[in-house]
Amino acid sequence: LAKTTQPISMDSYEGQEVNITCSHNNIATNDYITWYQQFPSQGPRFIIQGYKTKVTNEVASLFIPADRKSSTLSLPRVSLSDTAVYYCLVVEAAGNKLTFGGGTRVLVKP
Amino acid sequence: EADIYQTPRYLVIGTGKKITLECSQTMGHDKMYWYQQDPGMELHLIHYSYGVNSTEKGDLSSESTVSRIRTEHFPLTLESARPSHTSQYLCASRAHYRGGKYEQYFGPGTRLTVT
């Protein structure tokens, strides 16, 4: 399984864009990149997934460079309710195990 | 809305008791997981299963055991609870690859306190 590294914490202000970069240097050809959001006392919630290039949904965008050794989750115009922990996970296409790393604690300030 | 359920939501028990945390999902997912998480800390995978009669240990050593007799049910058992088992336990499931997404669904969690 590819190991992921992401910043421990980030602070932002309401209305700003937040970008969280995750490193996954030993990602394999068949691996996908997924991101989750977790609020206190709740289980994580799936946000977005990608394989390469850019993916966008109603919540976020995910940018993946050609070498796929990193990915960046972009949260546009954050609000206070976006304060949460964000996890980057690399998923083996045919794998069973799913391990979370430390995540990035994002604090959105008024 | 995810159809994955955990009971009980909260449990306070004394040391030495045997407990079973229940987890059920109605999505027909083959893969199921148990994570342990202390407040403000990262999730640790303690058990997972990729189908009926399959169980594997996760990354964090745990004194708990699991079983997978039915697809929809993945209970976790502690034979003799200790204060060190106090934590939140999160159950999750996912399909192998459905709708093009590798999405994992989480239950609401069981917050266990062992006194």
Side-chain angles (χ1 to χ4, degrees):
Chain A
L1 286 173
K3 179 177 167 55
T4 60
T5 303
Q6 51 185 125
I8 294 174
S9 64
M10 299 178 73
D11 287 357
S12 183
Y13 290 91
E14 281 190 292
Q16 289 188 336
E17 179 181 80
V18 171
N19 296 306
I20 309 169
T21 296
C22 177
S23 297
H24 26 80
N25 291 320
N26 57 340
I27 190 169
T29 302
N30 293 330
D31 291 348
Y32 279 74
I33 299 151
T34 61
W35 284 80
Y36 286 75
Q37 175 192 56
Q38 186 182 27
F39 297 114
S41 299
Q42 295 184 23
R45 182 177 70 100
F46 176 90
I47 300 174
I48 198 166
Q49 78 170 40
Y51 184 78
K52 60 181 177 181
T53 65
K54 178 183 173 182
V55 179
T56 297
N57 62 21
E58 64 278 4
V59 176
S61 294
L62 180 60
F63 299 91
I64 305 168
D67 66 6
R68 304 200 327 123
K69 293 184 184 300
S70 68
S71 58
T72 298
L73 176 74
S74 180
L75 305 172
R77 297 179 298 282
V78 294
S79 64
L80 296 176
S81 62
D82 292 316
T83 292
V85 178
Y86 293 84
Y87 296 94
C88 162
L89 281 81
V90 172
V91 181
E92 288 182 25
N96 300 311
K97 202 173 177 182
L98 206 58
T99 300
F100 284 74
T104 298
R105 194 173 302 274
V106 172
L107 173 63
V108 179
K109 302 176 184 176
Chain B
E1 195 70 23
D3 296 319
I4 179 165
Y5 310 98
Q6 289 186 246
T7 57
R9 294 290 311 278
Y10 303 92
L11 180 62
V12 180
I13 60 166
T15 298
K17 299 290 187 184
K18 177 181 178 179
I19 58 167
T20 296
L21 308 185
E22 301 288 349
C23 177
S24 294
Q25 50 93 8
T26 57
M27 298 172 282
H29 289 169
D30 292 325
K31 303 176 195 287
M32 296 189 73
Y33 306 81
W34 276 103
Y35 295 88
Q36 184 177 343
Q37 185 178 37
D38 294 328
M41 306 299 285
E42 59 183 272
L43 290 104
H44 293 286
L45 178 66
I46 51 175
H47 297 284
Y48 64 101
S49 166
Y50 48 86
V52 171
N53 294 324
S54 86
T55 60
E56 301 285 345
K57 289 189 181 295
D59 302 316
L60 180 69
S61 175
S62 174
E63 293 162 345
S64 58
T65 58
V66 292
S67 62
R68 190 86 184 277
I69 299 172
R70 303 195 319 260
T71 298
E72 62 272 20
H73 195 214
F74 191 41
L76 181 145
T77 299
L78 279 166
E79 291 292 333
S80 180
R82 296 208 301 265
S84 61
H85 296 139
T86 295
S87 189
Q88 172 154 273
Y89 292 84
L90 288 159
C91 179
S93 73
R94 72 179 178 105
H96 174 64
Y97 184 68
R98 186 172 296 170
K101 285 166 64 173
Y102 290 98
E103 182 172 353
Q104 191 178 38
Y105 296 88
F106 281 81
T110 294
R111 186 165 297 281
L112 173 65
T113 302
V114 184
T115 61

